[in-house]
Amino acid sequence: MAILVTGGAGYIGSHTCVELLNEGYEIVVVDNFSNSSQEALRRVTEITGKSFKLYQLDLLDKEKLEAVFEENKIEAVIHFAGFKAVGESVELPLKYYQNNITGTIVLCELMKKYHVKNLVFSSSATVYGMTDHVPIREDAQLGAVNPYGRTKLMIEEILRDLHHSDQTWNIAILRYFNPIGAHASGRIGEDPTGIPNNLMPYISQVAVGKLERLTIHGNDYQTKDGTGIRDYIHIVDLALGHIKALEKIKRRSGGVDAYNLGTGKGYSVSEMVDAFEKASGKIISTTISRRRPGDAATCYANPTKAKEQLDWHAVRGIDEMCQDSWRWQQNNPTGYVKKVNKESRTPVQSNAAVFFNV
Ligand code: NAD
Ligand code: UDP
């Protein structure tokens, strides 16, 4: 029996594939590489010494996706595939609703047809909107403030309705806070397209000399030093949260639950700059601008539910997050670009699937 990982070549997906393979799971990856590279998956085999199957396809292509269910014995799905750029979602809302929501519906229709009712879904702390009530619990009021966030909120509702209609569905909705860092090997990490919007990839590109200076969006918040506070979580801790969620849903006979995956600790932008300077030995030049529209002052999780029900909590601190981000950035200043298929372990074509062999 295999775990189907949609979006498995992406930032969170690739790290989760490593942890799944390390735990002995068989995995099947589906990705259309709209925001990722096959090279990430090749490196997953390199890190783990394990082989797996990849289907390069779009979730919206129901016929091709159905072949994956036909050809493999899938016991559960971890669903990462989706677009995630907030700014782009404001410009192109239909692109986001189409890809994220329709993609999820197509996936769930096939899961239903093939009696696969175990699902772990990538949601986001963005579903909590602009709340200033921290730490945030799962039962806080929901209300996304942009189309991307609304796709997550709508999918959560769709999944709750699905479970309501058939209570044998086992669904874990994971609301991520701010994933950063990279695998300790420095071989896989976050590889944003263009100029990063998020803080940590921006800082690391300043450190490596690709960008000149970090613009701090506001230093007049009601926080310890005036800059925004977030709950940064190491990507490997986040990946391990998926394994725990998977174990939980496989144990039970039906249910739908949302879990915060965060550390419960908040760090300011200035603290993150300091931590990155310490980890990298580089000076991060900064300039202050006005607040970024739509930004909350402070956002961090109450992660108690995940601790109690999933037996999961984050263990890696910000120094490790920054050291691992830096190792990845330094070793891969251009991300995965131009490294595809250069080395010997080129994937072998076999029907629709590609086998990543050790
Ligand atoms: P990512 O862009 O690195 O990975 C997403 C993967 O999905 C990519 O490999 C992309 O090619 C693939 N994909 C997108 N649409 C597809 C489709 N229609 N068919 C097949 N493949 C498709 O993003 P990530 O950071 O790894 O995020 C994974 C998930 O977690 C996303 O759903 C995202 O919204 C969610 N999330 C991410 C963050 C974050 O800060 N990174 C925070 C909260 C939630
Ligand atoms: N931030 C910043 N400069 C940047 C990017 C982000 O000052 O170039 C700040 C942002 O205002 C917020 C924090 O860093 O306070 C985290 O932002 P990010 O976009 O990474 O995450 P999100 O706001 O979506 O939680």
Side-chain angles (χ1 to χ4, degrees):
M1 295 291 269
I3 311 299
L4 174 61
V5 185
T6 76
Y11 173 45
I12 305 172
S14 56
H15 287 81
T16 304
C17 286
V18 166
E19 301 308 326
L20 285 165
L21 291 167
N22 283 345
E23 281 294 315
Y25 283 100
E26 182 191 340
I27 62 169
V28 173
V29 173
V30 162
D31 206 299
N32 65 358
F33 300 110
S34 54
N35 195 37
S36 54
S37 157
Q38 274 205 17
E39 175 63 9
L41 293 175
R42 195 195 64 71
R43 293 187 188 188
V44 169
T45 64
E46 176 196 297
I47 292 168
T48 59
K50 305 261 175 73
S51 307
F52 59 91
K53 224 192 232 185
L54 157 75
Y55 291 80
Q56 179 171 352
L57 59 84
D58 196 304
L59 280 193
L60 297 174
D61 188 336
K62 193 169 184 178
E63 220 171 281
K64 282 195 184 151
L65 188 60
E66 179 151 11
V68 178
F69 284 87
E70 279 286 342
E71 290 168 19
N72 300 280
K73 284 198 164 54
I74 307 293
E75 61 171 322
V77 178
I78 305 185
H79 177 34
F80 295 107
F83 295 148
K84 62 170 183 177
V86 171
E88 189 187 45
S89 80
V90 175
E91 299 297 315
L92 301 170
L94 297 180
K95 176 177 169 178
Y96 275 68
Y97 289 121
Q98 170 78 340
N99 193 56
N100 294 6
I101 294 180
T102 312
T104 303
I105 291 172
V106 169
L107 175 68
C108 289
E109 282 172 348
L110 289 170
M111 288 177 70
K112 184 173 150 113
K113 181 167 176 185
Y114 287 83
H115 309 289
V116 181
K117 293 185 180 169
N118 295 324
L119 175 65
V120 178
F121 171 63
S122 295
S123 189
S124 168
T126 192
V127 299
Y128 296 118
M130 288 282 286
T131 181
D132 271 333
H133 296 287
V134 287
I136 303 174
R137 283 165 43 126
E138 288 82 353
D139 55 7
Q141 198 180 345
L142 302 180
V145 294
N146 54 62
Y148 163 69
R150 277 188 279 276
T151 68
K152 294 295 178 191
L153 206 46
M154 287 177 194
I155 294 168
E156 288 198 7
E157 293 297 343
I158 290 168
L159 297 179
R160 277 187 275 269
D161 285 341
L162 189 57
H163 172 260
H164 185 74
S165 73
D166 170 358
Q167 308 214 342
T168 64
W169 279 83
N170 285 299
I171 302 171
I173 293 167
L174 303 183
R175 296 182 182 146
Y176 311 149
F177 280 68
N178 291 61
I180 63 168
H183 189 264
S185 63
R187 297 294 287 156
I188 57 172
E190 188 170 11
D191 185 15
T193 314
I195 296 177
N197 291 312
N198 295 113
L199 180 67
M200 281 308 279
Y202 203 106
I203 291 180
S204 48
Q205 292 197 13
V206 172
V208 85
K210 281 176 79 177
L211 296 170
E212 202 184 326
R213 66 184 66 242
L214 170 74
T215 302
I216 296 179
H217 300 313
N219 65 350
D220 57 349
Y221 287 106
Q222 295 291 314
T223 60
K224 47 190 155 189
D225 56 24
T227 65
I229 289 183
R230 295 291 182 273
D231 186 338
Y232 298 95
I233 173 169
H234 195 294
I235 186 71
V236 173
D237 279 330
L238 190 81
L240 291 169
H242 292 74
I243 311 275
K244 292 292 193 178
L246 193 61
E247 286 168 0
K248 162 88 183 179
I249 62 172
K250 279 171 49 179
R251 272 198 309 270
R252 70 179 179 186
S253 57
V256 55
D257 261 298
Y259 299 97
N260 287 338
L261 295 189
T263 64
K265 297 190 190 85
Y267 289 95
S268 72
V269 175
S270 297
E271 286 174 323
M272 295 311 287
V273 169
D274 291 346
F276 206 91
E277 286 186 335
K278 189 171 128 203
S280 64
K282 302 280 178 187
I283 302 289
I284 310 295
S285 304
T286 60
T287 179
I288 310 288
S289 75
R290 276 186 293 185
R291 295 180 182 190
R292 190 171 65 176
D295 268 2
T298 302
C299 176
Y300 58 92
N302 176 333
T304 309
K305 187 176 174 188
K307 171 85 178 139
E308 287 176 356
Q309 296 188 18
L310 304 181
D311 187 29
W312 171 90
H313 68 284
V315 296
R316 293 163 178 80
I318 56 164
D319 290 337
E320 191 171 348
M321 298 181 208
C322 292
Q323 285 155 11
D324 290 340
S325 284
W326 179 234
R327 189 177 305 107
W328 155 253
Q329 181 68 67
Q330 229 185 345
N331 294 349
N332 306 271
T334 55
Y336 295 113
V337 176
K338 298 189 197 79
K339 295 195 185 83
V340 183
N341 294 346
K342 264 198 173 166
E343 296 168 45
S344 56
R345 294 178 197 132
T346 308
V348 180
Q349 281 286 350
S350 165
N351 301 325
V354 167
F355 293 88
F356 272 86
N357 293 315
V358 184

